[in-house]
Amino acid sequence: MSNTQFAFLNKEDVPSRSAWQEAIDKLDFKIRLELHPTLSPFEDEGFSPCTWNETDEDVGFEIFYEPSEEIHEDDDKLIKIIGDKDFCISMCWGGSMKDCAAAMIASTALAKSFGAVVSYEGEEPEKIDAMLVNTRSIIDEAELEEEALNVAKEIESAKTSGPASELIIKELTKIAGCEVSGMGMGGMLMIGFSNGSSITAKAFSCRTQEGVELNVSKYAKIRSQQMALMEGCSGEFTDALRREWDKLEPLKDAAELSDEKVSALFSSEVESWPEKLYVDKVEMPEINIIEVSFSNVPNVKLGFYALDGMLFNMSFQSGNLRFTISDVECELAG
């Protein structure tokens, strides 16, 4: 999707590259955008690369210099917006927030230093103070987008290059110092953090410190077996399939009750903890093994096995219970 920012100004006020750059620098945003050194007013057409914080050159916008009358095409609303400005610098970009930020920074400089009237695709112009606020917000979004892309690249790289324990530790460490905003189990163990991150995994079983095995997904497993029978019948539910179904049906109530008891056991354990937990540290005691501990509940520990960019075999341990979640990947969500 293409986006266009129009900057209408008088032709004699169209700045040179150096004057435009000086106006950008005076805005004093937290990042520095540098126009391409060979930018030539009135002559350039098409993509104009910029430099973002002196390192990233994959950012910029398409630029066009045109008389205002070629833009408004007798549109009364746009003619009113343009007023007596006889020239237009158009800046176009696609879906990248960095490219959007570059166009916003450049057009804000034109508005503040050269009296340009700036309109996004013919909409009513914003006042300069609002443009400054919006541009700062877009810069923040661009940095978040860049961080998310970098993490995605690291994960893809880890998947092809082998074990990713260090990457997983890096991501979990970002949570350190945040509050645990919620923990729960109902066929799934979920730990939510106050910064919006969460870790979830299907929980197949838990074991008490005395070694008693407590299954928390008996009902789900029975239903899965029944669904498999349905899927395998090819449209004809035979007597043999019916007998298999009937063997499973009476087990469902007891399985559901068992799951509820285990979930209640877990809930009673959680209720004894402080309202908020604080991540104390993230450690790797063995290769591919990650442990997360909490500062205000010293006997509670979360453990993970990390391989190929994913979390597996999540474990939860407290003074009374130990939960082991296996045969399914765990997910760290930001």
Side-chain angles (χ1 to χ4, degrees):
M1 178 181 175
S2 179
N3 306 270
T4 303
Q5 187 95 304
F6 298 116
F8 299 103
L9 67 173
N10 294 318
K11 189 172 183 178
E12 60 267 23
D13 293 329
V14 172
S16 64
R17 187 268 175 201
S18 59
W20 196 355
Q21 185 63 56
E22 184 179 351
I24 289 173
D25 293 340
K26 283 181 180 177
L27 294 175
D28 197 28
F29 289 120
K30 69 178 182 179
I31 64 97
R32 184 171 191 270
L33 183 81
E34 186 173 351
L35 301 172
H36 197 269
T38 64
L39 177 69
S40 301
F42 304 110
E43 297 177 12
D44 280 6
E45 182 175 310
F47 185 71
S48 182
C50 305
T51 302
W52 180 282
N53 272 347
E54 301 180 355
T55 56
D56 190 348
E57 296 181 354
D58 295 327
V59 63
F61 45 81
E62 293 186 13
I63 191 168
F64 302 93
Y65 291 84
E66 304 166 275
S68 295
E69 61 186 18
E70 294 186 14
I71 301 297
H72 66 65
E73 296 181 340
D74 297 326
D75 183 301
D76 291 338
K77 179 183 175 183
L78 199 50
I79 289 172
K80 185 177 179 180
I81 290 172
I82 294 169
D84 62 355
K85 309 296 184 183
D86 62 3
F87 209 76
C88 179
I89 302 176
S90 300
M91 287 157 279
C92 307
W93 69 95
S96 165
M97 290 305 298
K98 267 192 168 183
D99 292 345
C100 174
M104 285 294 295
I105 293 169
S107 57
T108 301
L110 291 174
K112 188 170 178 63
S113 295
F114 304 100
V117 174
V118 177
S119 167
Y120 173 72
E121 299 196 343
E123 295 180 359
E124 285 295 322
E126 290 183 323
K127 293 183 178 179
I128 187 64
D129 287 345
M131 288 187 69
L132 288 166
V133 169
N134 286 342
T135 301
R136 291 189 186 101
S137 176
I138 290 170
I139 290 171
D140 289 341
E141 289 185 50
E143 290 186 322
L144 288 174
E145 179 185 72
E146 181 180 37
E147 182 179 347
L149 288 172
N150 288 339
V151 169
K153 288 178 183 177
E154 287 184 67
I155 290 174
E156 285 304 310
S157 173
K159 286 180 179 178
T160 58
S161 61
S165 302
E166 292 183 8
L167 171 64
I168 301 297
I169 280 203
K170 176 182 173 184
E171 291 305 301
L172 287 173
T173 302
K174 290 179 182 178
I175 298 174
C178 291
E179 304 163 1
V180 172
S181 56
M183 296 187 71
M185 176 173 285
M188 176 177 288
L189 177 64
M190 184 281 293
I191 302 100
F193 297 89
S194 58
N195 67 348
S197 299
S198 64
I199 301 171
T200 61
K202 290 184 178 178
F204 287 105
S205 65
C206 68
R207 184 183 298 273
T208 67
Q209 294 294 75
E210 290 74 30
V212 178
E213 186 80 15
L214 301 171
N215 197 301
V216 295
S217 58
K218 289 183 178 179
Y219 180 83
K221 286 187 175 180
I222 291 171
R223 288 295 295 154
S224 295
Q225 288 176 277
Q226 289 184 324
M227 291 304 100
L229 290 174
M230 291 287 289
E231 291 171 3
C233 71
S234 302
E236 183 181 355
F237 207 61
T238 64
D239 290 341
L241 289 173
R242 170 61 66 184
R243 285 193 293 273
E244 291 297 318
W245 180 282
D246 290 343
K247 285 179 184 178
L248 295 169
E249 193 65 21
L251 304 177
K252 284 171 30 182
D253 287 346
E256 187 173 15
L257 182 61
S258 173
D259 290 348
E260 288 176 356
K261 286 181 177 179
V262 175
S263 292
L265 181 63
F266 179 83
S267 297
S268 65
E269 171 71 17
V270 173
E271 286 170 4
S272 67
W273 298 348
E275 183 177 348
K276 296 176 180 177
L277 302 183
Y278 294 87
V279 175
D280 180 32
K281 55 188 174 181
V282 181
E283 299 176 295
M284 188 168 66
E286 301 175 36
I287 186 168
N288 292 340
I289 301 296
I290 297 167
E291 291 185 349
V292 181
S293 56
F294 302 93
S295 58
N296 57 338
V297 189
N299 63 343
V300 171
K301 187 172 290 186
L302 297 175
F304 307 93
Y305 178 75
L307 181 66
D308 293 338
M310 298 300 296
L311 298 173
F312 292 85
N313 293 356
M314 181 178 183
S315 66
F316 161 82
Q317 180 178 345
S318 72
N320 301 314
L321 298 175
R322 179 193 299 271
F323 292 84
T324 301
I325 299 151
S326 57
D327 303 323
V328 65
E329 67 187 40
C330 305
E331 178 182 358
L332 173 66

